[in-house]
Amino acid sequence: MKLRKIFILSLLGLCLLGCENKETVEESFALKYQNQTFTLGEVFSKEKYGEELSYSEVSSCAFEGLDKTYRYSDFEVTTYPIDGEEKVAVIYFLDENIETTEGLKISDSLQKMLDLYGTDYQKEDTMYQYQKGNTLLKFIVSNDTVISIEYVLEI
Amino acid sequence: MKRVGIVFGILFLFIVLFVFISELVSPKYSIHLVEGGMIRDYYLENTHHDVLFLGDCEVYANLNPMNLYENYGITSYVRGTSQQLMWQSYFILKETLHYETPKVVVLNVNAMRYSEPVSEAYNRLTIDEMKWSKEKIEIIKASMTKEENFFSYLFPILRYHSRITSLTDEDFTYLFQKKKNTHNGFLINQNVKPYTSFPTERPLTQSDFSPIDYEYLDKIRVLCEENKITLVLMKAPSLYPYWYPEYEENIKRYANTYQLDYYNFLEKIEEIGIDYQKDTYDGGLHLNLTGANKLSTYFGAILKEKYSLQDHRNDDKIKEVYEKKLREYYKEVES
């Protein structure tokens, strides 16, 4: 009798876990900075990101639409056009005054990066790339020091 | 016997219908995405070219064969395509040699930065309109991204069937006769958009080019040697994407090793007289017509003197062909 109860409860537990998994939203990297959360793929708005210091456009060789880059004091945001909207594709750190949500900044050590993000990365030459869903967090390391940090949306 | 005839008739009708629908749904590259039609314009040529330019948009936007003929009598053709990769340049050169053997091949080296196929969209612009040949099969195999398959190039209907619900006037107007948009491969753009700024330069993760790029650069060099063609390397004066000092060193080293001439026009911007407030149509990525003419006039003098190219302006046959080409060219310039 006791064994049957344990079996039924275990089965119920498994079912609940299964239901919970179905509702889990795919994880992604997002930047928390000055009490705001900046998410890759979100619609870019100046209300949220503020007035840029400078702005540049890069067109493709043949296709319509422009990649627009907005430069702020500590980071740069590149957007891409889709269905008439401008969405955030890249957030690139410009200096040491800004750190990732997990606490890594330019000039930190490779060891700190490994402590914070672990070893589940893809390495290409001097670039370490971590992936969550369709977002990438890329670090370029030179002489055991992080010299570049970039959030990138896989489009 | 009659039944066999009916079967063949039905089969024939099916093939005709298949080819017709396939043509109908394929992009025409005549009004929109004209960059996809540049590769086919070459097949309309009926005279020899002394100079062949290969490379990406940095050649077809920046070098004007009409200017080279008018100023120096140089006959040339730009077989450049959007984001043409090194292996694509090689197979396009190989294909060109079935038609003619130029005296000089000028290769723009910007594509050395790419180590793998970039996107299907760019592959299509380069490959779709190539004539079927051994080189077309090879270029497809070398260029396909992981998501692509060979049969979609062989039977375009497999790739473009969904266009059947979004056909435009262009698809019907240019169904049988595609529009020619280039002048010996040069695509005119007269817009002006001054340079302002570009995104921040990223640190390089790899200072040397990928082995596959060297492999195809070697193949281009050897193919030129075998055909007694002088290979010249160039970097167009496009301000973006950044041409890193490491890239420059790599190319200089390669050119020195094989005693090739290399011209980096980024270092000659002032001398050429390019003004990025006036001579570019997209803020410094590509030159507009005035910029392309400045670069062509500058480079033409070098080509003429250094490689002893013949002045064809006194050659009656060539003169007749180019007078017609120039009329078409000026018609577009002045329109």
Side-chain angles (χ1 to χ4, degrees), chain B residues 65-66 180-188 325 328-329 332:
Chain B
M66 296 298 105
K180 180 176 172 285
N181 283 298
T182 67
H183 302 271
N184 281 32
F186 170 63
L187 198 59
I188 298 175
K325 281 174 180 284
E328 287 171 9
Y329 166 71
E332 187 180 339

Side-chain angles (χ1 to χ4, degrees), chain B residues 217-258:
Chain B
L217 183 54
D218 282 342
K219 285 184 173 186
I220 291 170
R221 177 178 53 76
V222 171
L223 192 58
C224 286
E225 280 169 9
E226 286 170 353
N227 287 278
K228 296 184 173 45
I229 299 167
T230 304
L231 176 63
V232 175
L233 306 178
M234 70 166 271
K235 172 65 188 79
S238 294
L239 302 178
Y240 188 88
Y242 298 106
W243 185 247
Y244 293 88
E246 289 88 339
Y247 291 170
E248 181 68 2
E249 283 312 305
N250 297 336
I251 292 293
K252 276 185 176 165
R253 197 182 321 116
Y254 188 89
N256 282 337
T257 304
Y258 297 103

Side-chain angles (χ1 to χ4, degrees), chain B residues 141-155:
Chain B
K141 285 181 181 170
S143 305
M144 280 189 301
T145 57
K146 284 174 195 159
E147 294 76 26
E148 291 180 79
N149 71 75
F150 181 82
F151 288 102
S152 69
Y153 284 91
L154 192 59
F155 303 112

Side-chain angles (χ1 to χ4, degrees), chain A residues 4-113:
Chain A
R4 192 185 288 176
K5 263 187 184 172
I6 291 169
F7 178 72
I8 291 168
L9 282 171
S10 304
L11 212 63
L12 201 68
L14 278 173
C15 284
L16 286 171
L17 270 175
C19 294
E20 199 179 70
N21 278 346
K22 273 182 188 169
E23 285 167 10
T24 301
V25 178
E26 200 174 30
E27 278 191 311
S28 60
F29 284 115
L31 170 66
K32 284 185 183 156
Y33 175 67
Q34 292 181 350
N35 301 322
Q36 293 247 46
T37 301
F38 300 100
T39 313
L40 295 168
E42 69 182 351
V43 175
F44 176 81
S45 74
K46 289 203 179 179
E47 289 76 37
K48 182 172 182 179
Y49 284 81
E51 200 59 41
E52 72 274 8
L53 297 174
S54 68
Y55 165 77
S56 58
E57 290 176 347
V58 175
S59 59
S60 85
C61 280
F63 300 99
E64 285 172 13
L66 292 167
D67 287 342
K68 299 175 178 179
T69 301
Y70 301 84
R71 189 186 173 103
Y72 298 93
S73 57
D74 300 325
F75 63 95
E76 216 171 58
V77 178
T78 300
T79 66
Y80 70 105
I82 185 163
D83 301 331
E85 288 185 312
E86 206 183 322
K87 292 193 173 179
V88 175
V90 178
I91 299 172
Y92 180 70
F93 288 12
L94 295 172
D95 55 35
E96 304 164 19
N97 300 324
I98 179 169
E99 57 182 35
T100 64
T101 308
E102 294 76 20
L104 194 74
K105 64 177 189 305
I106 289 173
S107 80
D108 279 343
S109 67
L110 170 65
Q111 191 54 52
K112 187 173 178 185
M113 182 199 86

